[in-house]
Amino acid sequence: MELKKSLKLEVLGFMLLNVFVLSMARKTLPSINFVLKETKYTRLCSSKKILTVNGQFPGPALYVRKGDRLIVNVHNQGTYNVTIHWHGVKQPRNPWSDGPEYVTQCPIKPGANFSYEIIFSAEEGTLWWHAHSDWTRATVHGPIIVYPSIGTTYPFPKPHAEFPIVLGEWYKGDVMEIIQSALKGGGEPNMSDAYTINGQPGDLYNCSKSGTFNIMVDYGKTYLLRLIGAIMNEEMFFAVAQHNLTVVGRDGAYIKPIETDYIVITPGQTVDILLTANKSPSHYYMAARTYAGSGPYDNTTTTAIVKYSGKYTAPATPAFPSHLPNYTDIDAVTNFTNRLRALANKDHPIDVPEKVDTRLYITVSMGSVACANNSCDGPQGGKLATSLNNVSFVDPAVDLLQAYYRKIGGIFKTDFPNVPPYFFNFTSDELPNNLSTLLKATKVKVLEFNSSVEIVFQVTDIYDAAENHPMHLHGFSFYHVGSGFGNFDNKTDPKGYNLVDPPELNTVGVPSNGWATIRFRANNPGVWFMHCHLERHASWGMEMAFIVKNGPTRLTSIRRPPRYLNPC
Ligand SMILES: *[C@@H]1O[C@H](CO)[C@@H](O)[C@H](O)[C@H]1NC(C)=O
Ligand SMILES: *[C@@H]1O[C@H](CO)[C@@H](O)[C@H](O)[C@H]1NC(C)=O
Ligand SMILES: *[C@@H]1O[C@H](CO)[C@@H](O)[C@H](O)[C@H]1NC(C)=O
Ligand SMILES: *[C@@H]1O[C@H](CO)[C@@H](O)[C@H](O)[C@H]1NC(C)=O
Ligand SMILES: *[C@@H]1O[C@H](CO)[C@@H](O)[C@H](O)[C@H]1NC(C)=O
Ligand SMILES: *[C@@H]1O[C@H](CO)[C@@H](O)[C@H](O)[C@H]1NC(C)=O
Ligand SMILES: *[C@@H]1O[C@H](CO)[C@@H](O)[C@H](O)[C@H]1NC(C)=O
Ligand SMILES: *[C@@H]1O[C@H](CO)[C@@H](O)[C@H](O)[C@H]1NC(C)=O
Ligand SMILES: *[C@@H]1O[C@H](CO)[C@@H](O)[C@H](O)[C@H]1NC(C)=O
Ligand SMILES: *[C@@H]1O[C@H](CO)[C@@H](O)[C@H](O)[C@H]1NC(C)=O
Ligand SMILES: *[C@@H]1O[C@H](CO)[C@@H](O)[C@H](O)[C@H]1NC(C)=O
Ligand SMILES: *[C@@H]1O[C@H](CO)[C@@H](O)[C@H](O)[C@H]1NC(C)=O
Ligand SMILES: [Cu+2]
């Protein structure tokens, strides 16, 4: 079959690379180019160069159908190392194209290239792609829209039209400098200066009015908003003035519809929302602001406008969503999260492991490392760090996948602990600082092929880290079977698990001062990263990787590597 042309369409402010792929046997896969380059953008009254894909911010949307495959040729014409991750795409047997640097590949250096083969399988709904190298993802990201396969349709009435809504974060400074200088000094990185909806901060910031993103709607019609959490460091609340929202999907899987007047989205998550235009024709703001724990946060609010078609006098200022929860409204987070249920019907069955082969209890912690003469900017003059079960991930010299596949010794250890090395009252208000020391190392957990795995994430309150940690697993989706506050109790808490219709996710918000349990079947051989999707936490080491062993046959084993791999 011949290469499908990349149709360029200007739709909704996105240059869409339209890659509808035919689901049939083929010799040549459809392919498109991603050219990474520095591009000048003006926001908040100032201009700067940002790293983009094909000059676009947010980057181009990929449109596919369930089960498709496609090639993305990435050419790095920028000045930083880069890799691209296809967030939420399971990539069966194909960790080679997953993307996290030093985990499944070495970086694509400036001037170099790499071809990713993206293999879709069970995913249906909204996903996204983003850079997975330092903080380049701040500007290098875009939607992935997975339509139902031919002959099937949505489990809800077909929407009249759809809009990707990418929530992002804008820094006046250079993002790479911000994280590099924070890592050097040991303190917190600079806060962002704005949040964005499809690249635009909106009317509540200076110099933004002309560029505010808007959607046109017809009275009586229903629209699908595909909300993407491309934010760097904060969870967000989102709402539309005077309109209720019906949530129908999360992370590329359907859920039982929920009617709500606000939603919560963490970095890494996606939410599919139906919006019915049934209010008086006018202009209405959609708005997003952060749910923040302790500490300083960017308290600005990003907006876009829902505009009804037809003749009417629009207000000078659109109505603002009065139900948008306030910054510290933890009940609003819990109430929303606890309502999510997998659709779990005949056409969209789920398969929650009931028996568990491998159980992990993982503490999610802040911490620090000592600095000569206590001269750094972190607590007690040390450097801020983070850990999972007290291990703070250190990038290896060669990517883990290559080291594993080619049996290169000395790159990683396989003794990532199954339980925290030390039990204490993890969520106590007063934790001694001597708990904050952690171990810097490159450790993985090896899983037997097809074993069923349960992970309980337990947040600790070291350094009073009252934050929700969005934990993201590559290579799988998992079932979120339960969560709660305080210390996980392994006798009573499992009794409350939902094993009937838990939501199927790739990123779970672990509540601050609490825990969350996930289950999945390790049926995808490869090397798969797991990390907090708050970018500063990941930079400080809140990361680990699984190695899932091959199964008994060729079709249950890792595919052969692509012909060209970037060297380290
Ligand atoms: C990609 O990089 C390889 C290795 O440097 C090179 O051989 C190849 O020509 C490059 N391809 C393109 C399209 O630039
Ligand atoms: C961080 O913020 C401080 C204070 O506004 C500023 O002086 C500094 O240049 C910023 N750092 C970077 C890397 O942008
Ligand atoms: C916008 O600019 C004005 C005038 O320079 C300033 O007083 C105001 O604080 C700015 N507002 C924001 C949100 O930055
Ligand atoms: C909107 O949803 C909320 C939460 O489910 C509900 O309490 C409220 O009645 C709904 N409002 C309208 C106008 O339907
Ligand atoms: C936002 O934070 C700034 C300090 O960074 C503070 O001056 C301002 O009052 C805060 N605004 C709101 C609405 O909380
Ligand atoms: C929202 O939260 C901020 C910070 O906690 C507080 O200062 C403000 O009064 C709150 N606003 C409302 C409307 O509750
Ligand atoms: C959360 O739910 C509880 C119990 O239903 C209710 O009392 C509370 O008002 C809700 N809070 C928010 C912020 O929705
Ligand atoms: C630490 O302090 C000692 C004595 O004041 C000094 O000699 C040494 O150079 C300092 N080291 C660093 C890394 O600043
Ligand atoms: C753990 O600490 C919390 C908060 O300080 C406290 O409420 C709880 O009782 C403690 N649990 C135990 C078992 O001591
Ligand atoms: C973490 O590991 C470090 C280094 O091995 C050790 O000193 C510390 O006590 C451990 N902390 C906890 C909370 O397990
Ligand atoms: C349950 O937790 C306790 C510590 O709170 C631990 O000693 C025990 O081994 C755990 N049991 C299981 C089955 O994991
Ligand atoms: C870019 O990647 C190469 C290969 O791993 C590495 O040697 C180099 O240090 C990286 N550059 C930066 C700035 O991280
Ligand atoms: Cu985190």
Side-chain angles (χ1 to χ4, degrees):
M1 215 182 81
E2 91 281 39
L3 281 186
K4 268 247 149 181
K5 278 201 304 284
S6 302
L7 301 177
K8 283 192 170 175
L9 301 170
E10 180 80 43
V11 183
L12 321 172
F14 282 92
M15 283 292 275
L16 305 178
L17 283 172
N18 210 9
V19 282
F20 276 104
V21 185
L22 301 178
S23 306
M24 53 165 68
R26 55 178 96 79
K27 285 206 184 85
T28 316
L29 295 173
S31 80
I32 59 168
N33 289 321
F34 270 22
V35 179
L36 272 293
K37 58 185 176 195
E38 304 285 333
T39 314
K40 201 162 163 188
Y41 269 81
T42 301
R43 295 285 181 274
L44 312 181
C45 320
S46 66
S47 262
K48 66 166 185 168
K49 284 200 162 178
I50 59 172
L51 188 63
T52 64
V53 166
N54 301 351
Q56 297 167 239
F57 172 67
L62 301 180
Y63 288 76
V64 299
R65 288 191 190 278
K66 182 179 179 182
D68 278 344
R69 288 185 186 202
L70 83 120
I71 306 278
V72 180
N73 299 308
V74 174
H75 303 268
N76 188 355
Q77 295 176 8
T79 52
Y80 297 111
N81 285 348
V82 84
T83 63
I84 308 281
H85 168 56
W86 319 92
H87 184 114
V89 183
K90 297 178 189 71
Q91 299 273 24
R93 302 173 50 225
N94 189 29
W96 305 105
S97 284
D98 190 47
E101 72 172 359
Y102 301 114
V103 176
T104 64
Q105 70 172 103
C106 297
I108 309 169
K109 290 181 224 169
N113 64 56
F114 184 67
S115 288
Y116 290 90
E117 179 173 346
I118 313 173
I119 305 178
F120 293 89
S121 51
E123 309 85 6
E124 185 171 320
T126 308
L127 298 170
W128 62 302
W129 56 265
H130 63 80
H132 217 301
S133 169
D134 284 330
W135 277 28
T136 47
R137 83 165 175 84
T139 56
V140 177
H141 58 251
I144 299 177
I145 314 284
V146 187
Y147 290 111
S149 49
I150 289 170
T152 71
T153 185
Y154 303 109
F156 43 82
K158 192 168 183 290
H160 183 64
E162 60 173 57
F163 303 95
I165 305 283
V166 181
L167 297 181
E169 201 159 7
W170 184 267
Y171 296 78
K172 282 185 179 163
D174 180 301
V175 280
M176 294 294 274
E177 254 173 69
I178 287 171
I179 185 56
Q180 290 313 332
S181 70
L183 291 177
K184 206 161 151 240
E188 287 276 356
N190 280 3
M191 264 191 287
S192 56
D193 298 288
Y195 300 105
T196 53
I197 292 178
N198 290 343
Q200 293 292 346
D203 297 350
L204 308 186
Y205 301 86
N206 284 339
C207 305
S208 290
K209 285 239 179 202
S210 60
T212 295
F213 181 77
N214 62 76
I215 64 177
M216 292 293 297
V217 299
D218 294 339
Y219 183 86
K221 300 254 160 63
T222 296
Y223 298 83
L224 176 58
L225 307 184
R226 298 178 178 272
L227 196 66
I228 293 171
I231 301 271
M232 295 293 278
N233 283 309
E234 326 277 348
E235 290 85 30
M236 301 297 281
F237 293 119
F238 172 89
V240 179
Q242 293 175 30
H243 290 71
N244 265 4
L245 309 169
T246 305
V247 182
V248 292
R250 266 288 317 271
D251 291 7
Y254 296 114
I255 63 165
K256 294 192 172 81
I258 297 173
E259 191 181 355
T260 179
D261 39 29
Y262 70 92
I263 67 107
V264 180
I265 185 168
T266 77
Q269 296 180 342
T270 64
V271 187
D272 286 354
I273 300 166
L274 297 178
L275 171 77
T276 299
N278 57 5
K279 293 292 178 293
S280 320
S282 188
H283 289 182
Y284 299 90
Y285 274 134
M286 60 173 86
R289 71 174 163 218
T290 189
Y291 158 67
S294 54
Y297 51 89
D298 176 348
N299 62 12
T300 63
T301 303
T302 180
T303 54
I305 309 174
V306 178
K307 294 181 175 170
Y308 280 64
S309 59
K311 276 219 174 85
Y312 57 87
T313 312
T317 306
F320 187 83
S322 59
H323 287 103
L324 190 64
N326 202 1
Y327 309 109
T328 55
D329 194 345
I330 191 166
D331 288 344
V333 177
T334 314
N335 284 11
F336 176 78
T337 308
N338 288 352
R339 293 179 71 191
L340 299 173
R341 298 275 183 279
L343 181 56
N345 67 13
K346 185 164 63 40
D347 293 331
H348 302 279
I350 61 168
D351 180 20
V352 191
E354 281 184 17
K355 192 177 122 293
V356 173
D357 300 318
T358 302
R359 223 174 267 281
L360 292 162
Y361 184 40
I362 300 183
T363 48
V364 179
S365 276
M366 296 290 297
S368 62
V369 288
C371 227
N373 295 352
N374 299 328
S375 60
C376 288
D377 301 336
Q380 290 98 43
K383 285 189 174 193
L384 280 167
T386 51
S387 68
L388 295 173
N389 269 350
N390 202 38
V391 184
S392 189
F393 188 80
V394 176
D395 280 348
V398 177
D399 64 276
L400 298 176
L401 177 57
Q402 187 142 197
Y404 167 61
Y405 196 79
R406 306 215 189 281
K407 303 189 167 60
I408 305 170
I411 301 294
F412 61 84
K413 289 211 168 115
T414 55
D415 58 351
F416 181 87
N418 288 349
V419 293
Y422 175 45
F423 279 74
F424 51 94
N425 185 348
F426 298 117
T427 54
S428 166
D429 295 336
E430 296 281 323
L431 286 176
N433 284 330
N434 63 11
L435 291 171
S436 65
T437 319
L438 35 75
L439 180 68
K440 286 198 153 227
T442 310
K443 291 182 188 290
V444 306
K445 171 74 192 170
V446 178
L447 297 172
E448 294 300 322
F449 177 80
N450 220 23
S451 57
S452 60
V453 183
E454 176 181 285
I455 303 175
V456 179
F457 294 108
Q458 172 72 59
V459 176
T460 82
D461 210 12
I462 292 172
Y463 292 146
D464 194 19
E467 265 185 300
N468 178 315
H469 298 271
M471 296 302 301
H472 171 53
L473 175 62
H474 292 222
F476 300 91
S477 54
F478 51 73
Y479 296 102
H480 175 204
V481 299
S483 32
F485 291 102
N487 296 298
F488 174 72
D489 182 322
N490 60 17
K491 287 201 186 61
T492 55
D493 286 326
K495 291 181 183 143
Y497 285 169
N498 173 9
L499 301 178
V500 177
D501 57 1
E504 188 179 350
L505 313 174
N506 63 52
T507 306
V508 66
V510 185
S512 57
N513 279 315
W515 55 271
T517 305
I518 64 168
R519 286 190 184 180
F520 64 98
R521 186 166 297 284
N523 54 7
N524 190 8
V527 175
W528 305 109
F529 209 24
M530 187 172 79
H531 59 95
C532 179
H533 223 290
L534 299 184
E535 215 51 41
R536 65 190 195 292
H537 290 180
S539 300
W540 290 329
M542 199 174 269
E543 305 172 321
M544 59 83 72
F546 289 104
I547 289 179
V548 177
K549 289 200 213 165
N550 283 339
T553 61
R554 191 177 64 82
L555 288 177
T556 53
S557 301
I558 298 181
R559 300 197 332 166
R560 268 209 292 273
R563 234 167 290 143
Y564 178 74
L565 290 171
N566 299 95
C568 266

